[in-house]
């Protein structure tokens, strides 16, 4: 290699003819186009703009489409002509002037067809056939997938969101001379003061005495040449690989605060004749994983950011403007976040902006939840290797991910999958040794033990790991890469578990957490669509319409509006409470010294996944602000040992300083306050400028509060520059309620715990059986383990229960299967309502007295989060009344509805009342003050419902029908 700092770079001889714009398109729903010869006789049809997905003109279509475009070209002897496609979802094959020029499988990567022999002067007809696989059938052997219905193509997970297709990236005709520069990789090693250059050159003939010239300038200052080098090379016919190392001293490093970029121009020439040239933008930076910490340019960096699913409005799969990408990334950069995990293949526009703003990116293909087939392994490697080749010159891309949640790969034996990912891990590292590469986001989980889970297991607490290779550790190193989710409202145990993540010497990268449903303000989202969008009926627009109409149907109920307010009130309150949940969880992870990075799921709403910190238009939700506060460089995290206590019960408050900025902290103060703001106890102190990253400021182990009510712990941190950072955590003291029922009849598998509480509260426990004769006593029937008990005496109990209720009594049924009671007790059909990530609300002040008022459930009821719900429409049709319900958006495409379910409700039966409660109070009440208070409230409510009951029906045998009944 020779260095030459005086020779000017050669002029670029390559030309690109932009083929974007209006194309003809023909839809082929019966897949008969090939049979009918459309590649030679295009049938006509509609117009479409390329690039775009064909759903932008025909929403909800899946299958085959044909494109046509005329290319007016000029050719010269010896020229190379290539058709370059940015991407086509999913399988594309093309014909030029009736001659087949090639095919490509894979919806996210660019591909090229050499048309040097087919292109002629003048007009050329280009026809492209694209197959977008549907979910419910195969076309040409391709089928997209859905959760628990995996397909065998590696982009199938895209179909969970919007199953789009077509020529969604640009198309161009590239013309070059005899030889053309292909793949280029620039290895930045600023710590070694060098830049390694790797280049592939495709030549139609052998060439001796060629030169490859490197010129490096500042990206935004092309006149400022900072490096030049020339490498002599001989080219073979076909592909020649050229590599050399250029000394690069005093390179300005790409950092979060100073994302400086360079531009390299590689020019291929023979003597004075330039053959081709290629420009590559890059940054001089190094990223590594050392001693359990990520490092950028040798300095520790804790990754704080978001999962980016690549979903955008209107197009569903790509941003239709630079502005929306800049809007989303600028917001998180300004709020102090530094990282995005691009799971669905990062868009070039996203990487451009991340490069320029200084955001770190983990790049990975959408390989997850995939089925085994003879082609699966090759398909996956094609996506992985293509991703690495395309993005490895990006300064912002600091880490590769190969697969997602490998324990959901259908049809693979664990040993088969492990063998594949270990090989791919090593192959990627050979392609790019400058970055860490993680084999499986979410870890291997149960696969290591020969099992497969249908839905997400808790990989963090199972102790299962992923494997990483990094520049400093080129051998597989275990890392706990976890996807860790929990129910909301957040229980104290949940955030405490996050503080304890990690075991032994394994550090933790929390690559997914959160996913609490925080629906957007649908009125605002819908208003952002244009009249044309509405007229076309774009898929994402229709989805939001359906969600909104479903929600409005729920809020047509007067009782719901009285409890939680109007639709938008519920949306605002739900967002505020879930933001508070995730703020505490995020603080817990930051306080954990083993957590090296945390990735909130997710940045923006994606299809039915309504748990973004932004809505689909990238407007922030309260979640974004809460996460920013918990990720601030300087703040105080507050950790009460429990947020719900009884009067006089001891609890603990720990306060921890989080300090990561150059600005020194100055002083702190913490106060325990009443609901009215009165300070009950306070603490304060001074801080030195060199305070440690995590410093315990307060650990008060034996605090008590004697009066029931709402309280909070608040913290204030004053920085040396005078800036004040505040944080607070609410507390609630739950007083006991007296039992008003003097006698309670209790039966069932967990009836003993209820009986003990009744006796402890001064009541009398009565047995319930088929011979029950006490109409004034409320009945508690625990059905938890009764489904397998179908003896004659069991059904006799059901008959007696019906008689007691119909005569004016009241019974509480804990966790029954309503279908079991159908015809015996319940007068009509009540079906279960399966829900995902329920947002629960409370309706009745009398049931939740002393706990919370009507409204969206907050942390006070977090320990009572039910898992079973029944359909509210069925309940209301029988004249029922709802006491606790939930609204839950159905994820992953259709139906785009809010499931509306009830966990506590009552039904009128004859002259009496049956209360159904799916909250496991008999199990929780002995050790949980909230459950105990709700149980007592429920017993008191049931007692008040009994009004002058009749004993007549109870005097006959249980199996005898009441007057008018027929069995």
């Amino acid at each position: 290699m020779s260095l030459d700092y005086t020779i000017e770079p050669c002029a670029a001889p390559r030309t690109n003819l932009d083929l974007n714009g209006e194309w003809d398109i023909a839809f082929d729903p019966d897949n008969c186009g090939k049979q009918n010869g459309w590649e030679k006789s295009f049938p006509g049809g509609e117009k479409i703009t390329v690039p775009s997905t064909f759903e932008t003109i025909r929403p909800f279509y899946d299958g085959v489409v044909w494109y046509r475009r005329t290319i007016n070209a000029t050719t010269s002897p010896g020229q190379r002509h290539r058709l370059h496609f940015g991407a086509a979802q999913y399988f594309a094959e093309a014909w030029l002037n009736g001659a087949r020029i090639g095919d490509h499988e894979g919806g996210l990567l660019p591909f090229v067809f050499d048309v040097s022999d087919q292109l002629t002067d003048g007009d050329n007809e280009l026809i492209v056939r694209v197959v977008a696989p549907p979910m419910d059938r195969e076309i040409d052997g391709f089928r997209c997938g859905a959760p628990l219905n995996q397909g065998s193509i590696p982009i199938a997970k895209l179909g969970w969101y919007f199953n789009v297709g077509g020529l969604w990236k640009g198309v161009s005709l590239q013309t070059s001379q005899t030889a053309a520069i292909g793949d280029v990789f620039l290895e930045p090693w600023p710590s070694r003061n060098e830049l390694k250059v790797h280049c592939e050159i495709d030549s139609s003939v052998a060439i001796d005495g060629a030169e490859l010239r490197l010129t490096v300038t500042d990206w935004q200052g092309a006149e400022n040449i900072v490096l030049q080098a020339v490498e002599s090379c001989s080219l073979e016919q076909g592909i020649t690989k050229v590599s050399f190392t250029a000394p690069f001293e005093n390179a300005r490093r790409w950092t979060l605060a100073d994302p400086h970029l360079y531009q390299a121009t590689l020019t291929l020439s023979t003597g004075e004749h330039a053959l081709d040239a290629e420009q590559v933008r890059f940054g001089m930076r190094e990223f590594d994983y050392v001693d359990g910490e990520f490092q950028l340019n040798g300095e520790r960096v804790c990754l704080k950011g978001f999962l980016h699913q690549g979903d955008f409005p209107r197009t569903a799969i790509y941003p239709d403007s630079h502005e929306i990408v800049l809007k989303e990334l600028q917001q998180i950069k300004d709020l102090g976040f530094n990282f995005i995990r691009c799971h669905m293949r990062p868009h070039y526009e996203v990487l451009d902006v991340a490069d320029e703003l200084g955001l770190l990116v983990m790049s990975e293909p959408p390989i997850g939840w995939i089925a085994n087939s003879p082609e699966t392994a090759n398909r996956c490697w094609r996506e992985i290797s293509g991703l690495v080749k395309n993005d490895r010159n990006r300064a912002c891309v600091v880490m590769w991910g190969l697969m997602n949640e490998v324990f959901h790969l259908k049809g693979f034996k664990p040993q088969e999958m492990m063998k594949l990912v270990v090989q791919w891990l090593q192959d990627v590292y050979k392609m790019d040794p400058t970055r860490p590469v993680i084999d499986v986001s979410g870890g291997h989980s149960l696969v290591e033990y020969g099992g497969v889970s249908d839905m997400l297991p808790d990989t963090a607490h199972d102790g299962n790991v992923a494997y990483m290779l990094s520049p400093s550790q080129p051998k597989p190193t275990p890392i706990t890469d976890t996807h860790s989710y929990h129910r909301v409202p957040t229980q104290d145990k949940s955030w405490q578990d996050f503080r304890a993540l990690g075991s032994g010497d394994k550090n933790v990268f929390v690559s997914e957490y959160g996913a609490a449903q925080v629906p957007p303000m649908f009125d605002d989202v819908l208003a952002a669509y244009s009249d044309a969008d509405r007229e076309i009926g774009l898929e994402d627009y229709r989805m939001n319409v359906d969600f909104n109409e479903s929600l409005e149907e729920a809020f047509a109920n007067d009782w719901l509006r009285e409890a939680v307010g109007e639709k938008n009130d519920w949306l605002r309150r739900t967002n505020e409470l879930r933001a508070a949940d995730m703020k505490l969880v995020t603080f817990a992870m930051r306080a954990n010294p083993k957590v090296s990075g945390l990735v909130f799921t997710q940045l923006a709403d994606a299809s039915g996944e309504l748990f973004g910190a932004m809505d689909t238009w990238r407007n922030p939700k309260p979640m974004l602000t809460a996460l920013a506060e918990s990720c601030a460089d300087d703040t105080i995290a507050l950790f009460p040992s429990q947020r719900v206590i009884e009067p006089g019960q001891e609890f603990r408050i720990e306060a921890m300083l989080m300090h990561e900025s150059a600005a020194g902290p100055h002083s702190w103060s913490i106060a325990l306050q009443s609901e009215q703001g009165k300070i009950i106890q306070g603490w304060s102190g001074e801080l030195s400028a060199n305070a440690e990253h995590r410093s315990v400021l307060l650990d008060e182990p034996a605090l008590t509060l004697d009066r029931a009510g709402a309280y909070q712990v608040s913290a204030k941190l004053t920085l040396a520059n005078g800036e004040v950072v505040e944080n607070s955590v609410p507390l609630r003291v739950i007083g006991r309620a007296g039992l008003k029922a003097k006698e309670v009849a209790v039966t069932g598998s967990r009836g003993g715990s209820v009986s003990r509480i009744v006796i402890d509260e001064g009541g009398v426990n009565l047995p319930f059986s088929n011979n029950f004769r006490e109409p004034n006593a409320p009945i508690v029937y625990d059905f938890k383990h009764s489904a397998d008990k179908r003896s004659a005496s069991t059904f006799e109990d059901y008959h007696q229960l019906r008689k007691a209720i119909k005569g004016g009594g009241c019974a509480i049924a804990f966790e029954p299967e309503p279908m079991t009671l159908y015809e015996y007790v319940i007068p009509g059909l009540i079906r279960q309502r399966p829900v995902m990530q329920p947002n629960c609300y409370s309706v009745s002040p009398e049931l939740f007295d002393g706990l919370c008022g009507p409204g969206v459930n907050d942390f006070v009821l977090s320990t009572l989060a039910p898992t079973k719900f029944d359909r509210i429409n069925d309940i209301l049709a029988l004249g029922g009344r709802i006491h606790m319900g939930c609204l839950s958006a159905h994820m992953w495409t259709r139906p785009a509805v809010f499931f509306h379910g009830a966990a506590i409700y009552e039904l009128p039966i004859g002259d009496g009342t049956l209360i159904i409660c799916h909250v496991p109070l008999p199990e929780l009440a002995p050790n949980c003050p909230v459950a105990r208070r709700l149980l007592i409230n429920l017993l008191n409510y049931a007692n008040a419902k009994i009004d002058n009951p009749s004993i007549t029906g109870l005097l006959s045998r249980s199996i005898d029908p009441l007057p008018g009944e027929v069995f």
Side-chain angles (χ1 to χ4, degrees):
M1 187 192 76
S2 62
L3 296 177
D4 187 340
Y5 293 91
T6 60
I7 302 174
E8 295 294 325
C10 300
R14 186 189 306 179
T15 61
N16 284 304
L17 177 61
D18 187 351
L19 300 180
N20 295 334
E22 187 176 82
W23 289 47
D24 299 316
I25 187 171
F27 291 87
D28 186 6
D30 298 324
N31 193 19
C32 61
K34 273 190 169 182
Q35 180 180 343
N36 294 332
W38 288 10
E39 70 274 16
K40 294 183 178 180
S41 179
F42 191 79
E46 304 173 55
K47 301 291 185 181
I48 191 171
T49 299
V50 172
S52 70
T53 58
F54 53 68
E55 282 80 4
T56 57
I57 65 169
R58 188 171 292 190
F60 304 103
Y61 178 84
D62 296 324
V64 181
V65 294
W66 294 70
Y67 291 83
R68 178 187 178 277
R69 203 227 200 243
T70 299
I71 304 173
N72 187 272
T74 302
T75 63
S76 298
Q79 287 182 328
R80 304 287 298 278
H81 302 284
R82 294 177 175 84
L83 277 170
H84 181 275
F85 293 81
Q89 166 64 5
Y90 166 74
F91 175 79
E93 52 186 335
W95 295 261
L96 187 64
N97 299 324
R100 195 173 190 277
I101 56 176
D103 59 59
H104 173 80
E105 180 188 343
L108 305 178
L109 296 171
F111 56 96
V112 172
F113 297 143
D114 192 315
V115 295
S116 302
D117 296 334
Q118 290 82 19
L119 194 71
T120 62
D121 279 340
D123 287 344
N124 297 261
E125 184 182 53
L126 172 63
I127 293 178
V128 183
R129 175 179 180 265
V130 178
V131 179
M135 291 187 189
D136 57 353
R137 66 191 188 280
E138 284 191 355
I139 296 179
D140 295 1
F142 304 120
R143 183 181 68 83
C144 196
L148 308 184
N149 183 24
Q150 290 95 321
S152 62
I153 58 177
I155 54 83
K157 191 166 181 275
L158 287 173
W160 298 16
Y161 301 90
F162 295 101
N163 193 23
V164 297
L167 299 177
W168 66 278
K169 284 289 187 183
V171 183
S172 63
L173 176 66
Q174 299 179 348
T175 300
S176 61
Q177 303 303 316
T178 307
I181 297 172
D183 179 52
V184 175
F185 175 37
L186 304 178
E187 278 190 49
W189 295 106
S191 64
R192 307 176 193 172
N193 293 316
E194 64 184 30
L195 177 68
K196 289 188 175 182
V197 180
H198 306 277
C199 182
E200 290 184 358
I201 301 173
D202 185 5
S203 181
S204 58
V205 296
I207 301 175
D208 291 327
E211 287 186 341
L212 186 64
R213 182 181 306 276
L214 168 71
T215 304
V216 177
T217 66
D218 291 326
W219 169 55
Q220 291 183 317
E223 72 285 349
N224 182 27
I225 297 175
V226 297
L227 174 65
Q228 282 190 317
V230 176
E231 177 74 7
S232 299
C233 54
S234 294
L235 305 180
E236 301 174 354
Q237 184 178 7
I239 301 295
T240 301
K241 294 184 178 181
V242 180
S243 296
F244 61 92
T245 300
F248 195 176
E249 297 183 359
N250 303 316
R252 185 172 165 185
R253 299 192 181 191
W254 186 94
T255 68
L256 296 174
D258 179 26
H260 184 74
L261 295 168
Y262 291 104
Q263 182 160 286
T265 301
L266 284 166
T267 306
L268 179 67
S269 61
T270 55
E272 298 299 321
H273 182 55
L275 299 178
D276 197 17
E278 181 71 78
Q279 288 187 329
V280 178
R281 193 172 73 168
F282 71 102
M284 291 295 287
R285 60 101 189 91
E286 295 176 43
F287 194 80
D288 207 344
Y289 188 73
V290 181
D291 296 331
E293 294 181 339
F294 292 106
Q295 293 186 354
L296 177 62
N297 298 320
E299 297 183 358
R300 172 191 173 274
V301 57
C302 181
L303 305 182
K304 298 179 290 187
F306 298 89
L307 179 68
H308 194 295
Q309 299 278 43
D311 185 289
F312 288 91
R314 291 197 179 101
T315 66
I317 194 176
Y318 63 91
D320 66 353
S321 70
H322 175 78
E323 287 73 23
I324 194 168
V325 176
L326 183 61
K327 180 180 181 179
E328 66 176 357
L329 298 189
Q330 187 71 64
Q331 286 184 88
I332 65 174
K333 176 73 175 181
D334 292 345
L335 289 171
F337 300 100
N338 59 20
F339 183 73
I340 53 174
R341 175 184 160 225
C342 289
H343 169 45
M344 288 296 185
R345 166 77 181 93
H347 300 291
Y348 304 133
E349 300 90 340
V350 172
L351 296 182
D352 283 344
V353 176
D355 267 346
E356 295 160 19
L357 291 182
L359 282 169
L360 308 175
V361 174
M362 181 178 183
S363 177
E364 63 185 65
I367 302 175
W369 299 61
I370 188 173
N372 196 2
S373 75
E375 298 84 15
T376 298
N378 289 335
R379 286 169 171 170
C380 289
W381 174 244
R382 182 191 62 234
E383 296 297 320
I384 292 169
S385 59
L387 174 76
V388 173
K389 279 190 174 183
N390 274 273
D391 296 344
R392 59 185 171 176
N393 290 311
R394 299 283 189 168
C396 64
V397 176
V398 295
M399 189 158 40
W400 303 115
L402 304 188
M403 306 188 78
N404 180 70
E405 295 167 6
V406 74
F407 36 90
H408 296 297
L409 301 187
K410 182 180 178 182
F412 281 96
K413 294 179 181 179
Q415 296 79 7
E416 292 174 334
M417 196 67 252
M418 288 297 297
K419 183 178 179 180
L420 282 174
V421 296
V422 167
Q423 183 62 53
W424 293 339
L425 191 71
Q426 295 168 343
D427 290 343
V428 167
Y429 187 78
K430 291 176 184 177
M431 294 176 65
D432 176 16
T434 70
R435 300 167 169 89
V437 50
I438 296 176
D439 60 353
V440 178
S441 183
H444 296 281
S445 187
L446 304 178
V447 167
E448 292 188 349
Y449 307 101
V452 176
S453 172
D454 283 339
M455 293 299 288
L456 287 176
D458 186 346
T459 58
H461 295 96
D462 288 345
N464 301 303
V465 298
Y467 290 92
M468 171 188 283
L469 297 182
S470 64
S472 61
Q473 295 175 308
K475 293 183 179 180
T477 301
I479 178 173
T480 302
D481 183 320
T482 176
H483 296 177
S484 194
Y485 296 107
H486 64 283
R487 297 179 67 83
V488 295
T490 300
Q491 298 183 23
D492 288 331
K493 182 182 182 302
S494 295
W495 65 259
Q496 289 162 2
D497 284 345
F498 278 101
R499 284 202 67 180
L501 280 178
S503 60
D505 59 350
K506 296 185 185 70
N507 279 47
V508 182
F509 175 40
V510 184
S511 56
E512 289 186 28
Y513 79 100
Q517 282 197 359
V518 282
M521 302 301 290
F522 285 106
D523 294 344
D524 296 337
V525 169
L526 291 172
Y529 289 95
S530 68
D531 290 341
D533 297 335
R534 298 185 182 94
E535 183 177 352
I536 294 170
L538 293 177
E539 290 191 30
D540 57 316
Y541 167 72
R542 281 302 320 167
M543 182 201 69
N544 282 294
V545 167
D546 292 349
F547 271 135
N548 188 53
E549 289 179 349
S550 171
L551 203 54
E552 289 182 340
E553 180 181 347
F555 278 87
N557 293 296
D558 294 339
W559 53 267
L560 181 59
R561 296 198 306 275
E562 290 172 4
V564 302
E566 299 292 338
K567 176 191 72 175
N568 287 345
D569 297 323
W570 176 81
L571 287 169
R572 276 188 287 269
R573 185 59 177 157
T574 297
N575 272 264
E576 291 167 356
L577 289 175
R578 300 297 81 86
D581 287 327
M582 294 306 140
K583 182 176 180 180
L584 184 56
V585 166
T586 305
F587 267 129
M589 279 188 282
R590 289 197 64 203
N592 184 340
K594 287 188 173 294
V595 173
S596 56
L598 50 96
V599 182
F600 180 78
T601 304
Q602 53 199 15
L603 180 60
D605 291 341
S607 186
E609 293 184 354
L610 303 179
F611 35 75
M614 304 174 181
D615 68 21
T616 187
W617 298 101
R618 277 47 180 181
N619 298 312
K621 302 178 188 176
M623 183 68 74
L624 186 63
T625 301
L627 293 171
E629 291 172 351
S630 57
C631 286
D633 287 344
D634 298 291
T635 187
I636 296 176
L638 297 168
F639 302 115
S641 56
Q642 57 258 31
R643 291 171 293 166
V644 181
I645 54 178
E646 292 184 284
Q649 178 185 353
E650 288 190 350
F651 66 100
R652 171 184 172 187
I653 294 177
E654 181 185 359
M656 182 175 287
L657 172 69
M658 304 291 174
H659 172 50
E660 293 181 337
S661 76
H666 180 268
S667 61
W668 60 273
S669 63
I670 296 171
L672 176 60
Q673 298 172 292
S674 68
E675 187 174 17
Q676 293 74 30
K678 179 182 177 182
I679 295 178
I680 299 168
Q681 193 165 349
W683 306 265
S684 61
E686 302 293 320
L687 291 165
S688 63
N690 59 351
E692 294 183 1
H693 164 54
R694 298 181 184 89
S695 304
V696 176
L697 301 178
L698 177 71
D699 191 357
E700 197 70 34
L703 295 166
T704 60
L705 291 166
D706 297 328
R707 299 185 62 181
Y711 298 83
Q712 76 168 8
V713 185
S714 60
K716 181 182 295 185
L717 175 66
T718 303
L719 304 180
N721 60 9
E723 181 183 352
V724 175
V725 181
E726 296 181 316
N727 183 29
S728 64
V729 175
L731 306 175
R732 188 72 59 87
V733 179
I734 304 298
R736 290 200 173 189
L739 180 64
K740 298 177 182 178
K742 300 306 180 184
E743 296 178 331
V744 180
V746 182
T747 189
S749 55
R750 298 171 298 179
S753 63
V754 178
S755 298
R756 286 189 292 273
I757 291 174
V758 168
I759 294 170
D760 184 49
E761 293 290 338
V764 175
N765 175 50
L766 301 176
F768 178 85
S769 69
N770 58 3
N771 199 32
F772 180 71
R773 298 287 190 269
E774 304 292 338
N776 284 294
I779 302 166
V780 172
Y781 203 129
D782 181 22
F783 286 86
K784 176 64 176 177
H785 301 295
S786 65
D788 58 344
K789 296 179 180 179
R790 299 181 179 274
S791 65
S793 62
T794 300
F795 292 109
E796 290 175 9
D797 287 351
Y798 292 170
H799 282 296
Q800 197 70 353
L801 180 64
R802 182 188 78 259
K803 290 183 174 184
I805 298 170
K806 273 194 167 184
C810 185
I812 304 168
F814 282 110
E815 298 183 81
E817 297 293 342
M819 287 294 291
T820 303
L821 301 181
Y822 179 48
E823 291 187 346
Y824 291 97
V825 180
I826 298 176
L829 183 65
I830 294 180
R831 295 162 291 177
Q832 287 192 3
R833 166 56 75 199
V835 300
M836 307 176 76
Q837 299 174 307
N839 273 309
C840 293
Y841 58 83
S842 303
V843 177
S844 309
E846 56 268 54
L847 252 60
F848 296 93
D849 178 57
L851 296 171
C852 60
V856 183
N857 291 0
D858 63 7
F859 72 98
V860 176
L861 298 180
S862 62
T863 55
L864 308 186
T867 58
K868 291 173 61 178
F869 299 87
D870 295 330
R871 299 190 183 211
I872 279 183
N873 287 345
D874 289 350
I875 297 165
L876 298 179
L878 296 176
R881 178 188 176 192
I882 311 301
H883 295 293
M884 177 190 282
C886 81
L887 285 161
S888 169
H890 175 61
M891 285 188 279
W892 303 317
T893 66
R894 301 295 178 169
V897 296
F898 275 89
F899 289 144
H900 201 183
I904 306 176
Y905 59 94
E906 65 181 71
L907 296 169
I909 298 177
D911 293 331
T913 304
L914 172 64
I915 301 171
I916 290 180
C917 179
H918 290 309
V919 179
L921 296 181
E923 180 179 310
L924 298 173
N927 301 305
C928 173
V930 177
R932 184 186 181 100
R933 178 68 186 247
L934 181 56
L935 176 60
I936 298 299
N937 287 350
L938 200 54
L939 291 172
N940 289 338
Y941 179 79
N943 185 66
K945 296 289 288 188
I946 300 173
D947 184 18
N948 194 28
S950 170
I951 195 172
T952 303
L954 296 175
L955 297 178
S956 61
R957 296 181 305 169
S958 62
I959 59 175
D960 293 336
L962 294 171
E965 291 183 337
V966 178
F967 292 106

